Amino acid sequence: MLVVTKFGGSSLSCATQFAKVKKIVLSDAKRKIVVVSALGKRDSSDTKITDLLYILHAHLKFGVPYMDIWNMICSRFIEIKKELQLDYDVESELSSLYKELNKTISEDYLVSRGEYFTAKLMSNYLGYQFVDAKDLISFSYDGKVDYALTEKRVRLAFSEYGTIVVPGFYGSYPNGSVKLLSRGGSDVTGSILSKCLMVSLYENWTDVPGILTADPRIISNPKAIREITYAELRELSYMGANVLHEETVFPVQSLNIPINLKSTNDPDNPGTFIKNVCEDTSSTVTGLAGKIDFISFNIFKNHMSNEIGFLRKALTIFEKFNVSIEHIPSGIDSFSVVVPLSSVEKCKYEIITELKQELKAEVTVDEDIALVAVVGRNMVNKSGLCGAIFQTMGEEKINVKLLAQGPQELNIIIGISKEDYEKTIKTLYQKLLA
Ligand code: ASP
């Protein structure tokens, strides 16, 4: 049995956090593959190493003095080395990097050094072999992971060393140059390694004990979710729940490898399990999420329902402007197309004009739309839930502007005015999850 164990930046912010990580890793012999992010914030006023490296790159590029930032970066790594009394010579590797600093240094390469040095320190501390992600995670030039090559390399490295530490967040192109994943991408590195080694579990350690049932900025101390399916997680993350990098699930889902989210600061807490099938039926609703800033294009035309192809013609216009559609609630002679406001910022008026011209329809827009998603695998075939939702919203005098439910009955999407957004989350949390 093998486990990939990934630690986020907050689990690696200082020597004390490194010590917690060591205790966790060494307490279970299955934890043979460790993936690390770069050093995170030590407190809320601190700056993540990755952000400092991005700033350093900008300073270099625009010819602005950069020694202060460079020294801040170096001191974070050197401090950990000293406090943990490691023999890894981080100082001389940092001075080699210093010699490479110039206006044209690759941003991907420079920023990837955050994970690189963190992994080097951690491998030295754990006594595990450091394996560079650029020699494992291979991208083809179109930016996609070359799984055939990556798998071969990962398996070879693992069989050679047995216990490894790999920096997250980057890999390399066929010519060897470093390519970063998108922000938060160390989650994806862990997931890719889990797939390549077909491990039995992918552990993802952060500073919260799992996925929360609602946004903690709105609900104080929301409950954590014990079990959630990949599909539910996708619904919640898509609707704004800030959990894992959104590409984390794909590599492991096809092999049915569960992900366990846990807190480095509370390791005995079981955290959240993400898997294909969950047995727990104790709650009908798994979680709430939501986003503000949607726009609804409302299209009306008498006898629209008899005009074959009407909907297609409307959707073609959105396609032409490269706008991805969120929902299409409909009536008999009217329907709405709901999209994120940001996606039509530059083409809103063009879309309205074309809809009017092409469809000979009346078109209005409503820019005051927020969406709340009620997500739960146990909602399917359950009666009474909608009754409870709308009764409580009615009691709170919250007007429902639009509604949608996916065919799997995994989610109910409720459109409301932006000013009712927080009130809706609070009301529904009280009724469905508290
Ligand atoms: N350090 C990178 C970031 O801040 C990647 C990661 O933490 O996963 O986005």
Side-chain angles (χ1 to χ4, degrees), residues 129 161 197 250-251 367 384:
Q129 176 67 37
Y161 302 114
L197 292 167
F250 300 120
E367 301 195 20

Side-chain angles (χ1 to χ4, degrees), residues 119-151:
K120 282 251 165 151
L121 290 167
M122 186 54 80
S123 82
N124 189 203
Y125 188 43
L126 293 177
Y128 281 21
Q129 176 67 37
F130 169 85
V131 183
D132 198 343
K134 92 174 170 40
D135 302 323
L136 296 182
I137 313 286
S138 316
F139 292 99
S140 34
Y141 285 115
D142 63 6
K144 299 218 170 79
V145 177
D146 175 345
Y147 270 105
L149 185 55
T150 303
E151 193 174 310

Side-chain angles (χ1 to χ4, degrees), residues 6-10 36-39 48-51 54 111 114-115 168-170 180-189 245:
K6 182 255 162 180
F7 292 92
S10 57
V36 293
S37 291
L39 311 182
K48 291 169 83 166
I49 280 289
T50 305
D51 293 330
Y54 274 113
V111 172
E115 269 67 12
F169 192 35
Y170 68 93
L180 286 182
L181 290 146
S182 52
R183 291 301 303 263
S186 301
D187 285 342
V188 185
T189 308
H245 187 292

Side-chain angles (χ1 to χ4, degrees), residues 192-215:
I192 294 171
L193 297 185
S194 299
K195 176 185 163 91
C196 292
L197 292 167
M198 292 188 194
V199 299
S200 51
L201 179 66
Y202 171 25
E203 287 181 336
N204 192 299
W205 294 77
T206 65
D207 55 358
V208 283
I211 304 172
L212 301 171
T213 45
D215 187 340

Side-chain angles (χ1 to χ4, degrees), residues 321-360:
F321 286 97
N322 208 15
V323 175
S324 158
I325 292 165
E326 210 82 8
H327 297 288
I328 313 176
S330 65
I332 306 279
D333 286 334
S334 65
F335 65 91
S336 306
V337 178
V338 181
V339 305
L341 204 48
S342 57
S343 68
V344 292
E345 231 156 32
K346 295 202 178 86
C347 55
K348 187 172 68 188
Y349 296 109
E350 285 91 330
I351 291 178
I352 297 171
T353 310
E354 290 213 14
L355 285 170
K356 284 185 175 169
Q357 278 171 0
E358 298 284 318
L359 307 173
K360 312 271 178 292

